């Protein structure tokens, strides 16, 4: 009897350890995923354009195909690479993180420049016709998965850098896998809702039994273009904020702490001018200045990338 009690005690102890480990994995994955907010928002903002122009019946299957490609990018390719880097070349992670931050700054600045260029050109925007071409769908899905690979690499690098170095591979593997699956579900679940919202709204407007239901449906349909534009704006701002903060933090670790300290001092000075919500005001000022720094850096990078691209032979 005493042996059974001892065995049950051992099982209970192991269960407690397993539960604590699971809590640790979930907690670390949540923190790591939150660090990748900018890339996540941009991923959700970018993906809907890949289903524009297709018949409604093909929208969700296309989103699902892209989501499967995203999971494959993260789990099959990027997770093993991240673990190898962590084990054999941890010194590369901050450099890759800064490279990813610079890419986010470049993408954000390029989007802003594109908006101003489009306004100056005053060219009419062609209305896309609904298409069913299988080859076009294949090309769109392939392009979306390639774009996702870049953003997924940034997400996984940010997540890896956010995990504690003392956790070891037994924490890193489940935490990174959880980040990969959770972020993919969040991004592409949101995309699925976004791309089908106008269809749902149209159905409500036409077939709703109540006047309030029909009015809500019309509101959804008419508000979706504005919502998509707002999502793009938020995604761009998040890219610049996260990219700028990554670069500033990297510079600080390399001994160039002046820019980060200046932003911190300005944020504290502004926060002290208000009596309430000083923490929120300080964070908002810091995020804004990080974004401004990211935009300036991006505006410097864009012409360099443009010139470098022009030198690459095309054939």
């Amino acid at each position: 009897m005493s042996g059974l009690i001892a065995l049950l005690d051992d099982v209970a102890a192991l269960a407690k350890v397993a539960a604590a480990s699971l809590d640790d994995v979930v907690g670390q994955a949540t923190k790591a995923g939150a660090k990748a907010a900018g890339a996540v928002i941009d991923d959700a903002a970018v993906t809907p354009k890949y289903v524009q122009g297709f018949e409604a019946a093909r929208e969700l299957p296309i989103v699902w195909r892209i989501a499967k490609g995203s999971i494959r990018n993260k789990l099959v390719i990027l997770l093993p690479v991240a673990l190898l880097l962590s084990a054999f070349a941890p010194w590369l992670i901050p450099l890759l993180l800064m490279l990813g931050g610079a890419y986010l700054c470049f993408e954000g600045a390029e989007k802003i420049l594109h908006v101003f260029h489009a306004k100056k050109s005053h060219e009419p925007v062609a209305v896309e016709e609904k298409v069913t071409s299988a080859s076009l769908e294949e090309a769109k899905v392939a392009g979306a998965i390639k774009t996702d690979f870049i953003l997924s690499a940034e997400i996984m690098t940010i997540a890896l850098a956010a995990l504690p170095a003392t956790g070891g591979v037994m924490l890193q593997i489940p935490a990174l896998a959880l980040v990969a699956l959770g972020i993919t579900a969040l991004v592409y679940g949101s995309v699925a809702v976004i791309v089908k919202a106008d269809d749902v709204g149209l159905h409500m407007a036409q077939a709703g039994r109540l006047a309030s239901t029909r009015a809500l449906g019309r509101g959804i349909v008419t508000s979706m273009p504005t919502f998509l534009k707002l999502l793009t704006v938020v995604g761009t701002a998040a890219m610049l904020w996260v990219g700028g903060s990554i670069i500033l933090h990297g510079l600080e670790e390399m001994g160039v702490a002046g820019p980060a300290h200046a932003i911190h001092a300005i944020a504290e000075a502004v926060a002290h001018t208000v009596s309430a919500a000083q923490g929120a005001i300080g964070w908002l000022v810091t995020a804004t200045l990080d974004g401004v720094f990211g935009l300036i850096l991006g505006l410097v990078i864009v012409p360099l990338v443009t010139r470098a691209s022009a030198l690459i032979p095309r054939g």
Side-chain angles (χ1 to χ4, degrees), residues 35-309:
K35 293 284 187 179
V40 170
I41 296 172
D42 184 62
D43 212 352
V46 166
T47 305
K49 74 177 183 180
Y50 289 102
V51 300
Q52 290 176 358
F54 288 94
E55 293 179 343
R58 292 304 307 156
E59 289 176 343
L60 290 183
I62 290 173
V63 172
W64 174 236
R65 290 184 64 190
I66 298 171
K68 287 192 294 184
S70 178
I71 292 174
R72 189 163 53 248
N73 283 341
K74 293 183 179 75
L75 294 183
V76 178
I77 303 173
L78 295 170
L79 177 57
V81 170
L83 294 174
L84 287 173
L85 284 174
S86 179
F88 299 106
W91 54 272
L92 263 179
I93 294 175
L95 297 178
L96 291 175
L97 199 59
M98 291 185 70
L99 183 62
Y103 171 77
L104 290 177
C105 296
F106 163 75
E107 280 283 293
E110 191 176 46
K111 287 183 178 182
I112 291 175
L113 290 174
H114 178 73
V115 169
F116 282 103
H117 178 73
K119 286 182 178 179
K120 288 181 180 180
S121 65
H122 297 291
E123 293 179 358
V125 178
V127 178
E128 293 187 56
E129 297 181 358
K130 294 291 182 180
V131 293
T132 57
S133 169
S135 59
L136 180 59
E137 180 177 322
E138 290 295 328
K140 286 272 190 176
V141 170
I145 292 174
K146 287 179 182 177
T147 301
D148 174 89
F149 183 86
I150 298 172
L151 293 172
S152 292
E154 179 64 11
I155 289 168
M156 296 297 278
T157 306
I158 293 172
L160 179 63
L163 294 175
T166 55
V169 71
M170 297 308 294
L171 172 65
Q172 291 175 341
I173 291 176
L176 288 176
L178 193 57
V179 167
L181 294 174
I183 284 179
T184 303
L186 175 63
V187 168
Y188 291 100
S190 302
V191 169
V193 171
I194 290 169
V195 300
K196 298 307 292 183
D198 54 350
D199 292 333
V200 173
L202 183 60
H203 177 75
M204 291 170 63
Q206 293 176 342
R209 294 183 178 181
L210 301 176
S212 58
T213 302
R214 294 192 294 273
L216 177 60
R218 290 192 296 270
I220 292 173
V221 172
T222 56
S223 64
M224 281 309 295
T226 302
F227 173 76
L228 289 173
K229 289 180 181 177
L230 178 62
L231 183 63
T232 300
V233 171
V234 172
T236 302
M239 288 173 69
L240 293 171
W241 157 52
V242 173
S245 63
I246 287 172
I247 297 296
L248 286 166
H249 182 68
L251 290 173
E252 192 172 12
E253 288 192 342
M254 293 169 60
V256 186
H261 287 175
I263 288 175
H264 180 69
I266 294 171
E268 279 196 339
V270 174
H272 285 316
T273 61
V274 295
S275 56
Q278 290 188 359
I281 296 297
W283 178 89
L284 181 61
V285 173
T286 301
T288 301
L289 293 177
D290 286 350
V292 171
F293 177 85
L295 176 59
I296 294 171
L297 179 61
L299 292 174
V300 172
I301 295 173
V302 167
L304 298 177
V305 172
T306 302
R307 291 178 183 176
S309 299

